[in-house]
Amino acid sequence: SLIQQPIECCYVGIMNIIQTTFNVDLGDVYIEVLNISAGETENVSFDSGYIPQISLPISGNEGLHIVTIVTESGNVYEGSFTI
């Protein structure tokens, strides 16, 4: 059986967005996407209990992107991808 993760995050290239789904209520969260190569940063804060899914537009410029999610309780989730 599959174990459901608290957060699912993916890059949707055709729309240049980071689609993030919260499968559990983690309270207030902060999401930051940093393009290391271009020096661009996009971010958003919201309550995952009221908004369980959010789309964060990014530029779509090439480079290494670091996604950081910080929860209300101080937990940090991080991932990366390259365009």
Side-chain angles (χ1 to χ4, degrees):
S1 66
L2 296 174
I3 298 172
Q4 189 173 28
Q5 299 298 312
I7 303 171
E8 296 176 34
C9 188
C10 67
Y11 170 65
V12 182
I14 197 163
M15 298 171 56
N16 289 324
I17 61 170
I18 302 297
Q19 181 74 40
T20 307
T21 303
F22 291 84
N23 298 312
V24 296
D25 181 359
L26 297 176
D28 292 332
V29 296
Y30 172 77
I31 301 175
E32 179 181 85
V33 180
L34 170 63
N35 181 338
I36 298 289
S37 305
E40 302 167 332
T41 302
E42 302 293 338
N43 59 67
V44 65
S45 296
F46 60 97
D47 186 338
S48 66
Y50 291 110
I51 305 172
Q53 187 175 67
I54 194 160
S55 298
L56 178 60
I58 64 170
S59 69
N61 290 331
E62 292 183 358
L64 174 63
H65 294 71
I66 306 295
V67 180
T68 304
I69 301 171
V70 181
T71 68
E72 184 175 329
S73 63
N75 291 329
V76 177
Y77 299 85
E78 196 170 74
S80 63
F81 65 96
T82 303
I83 297 177

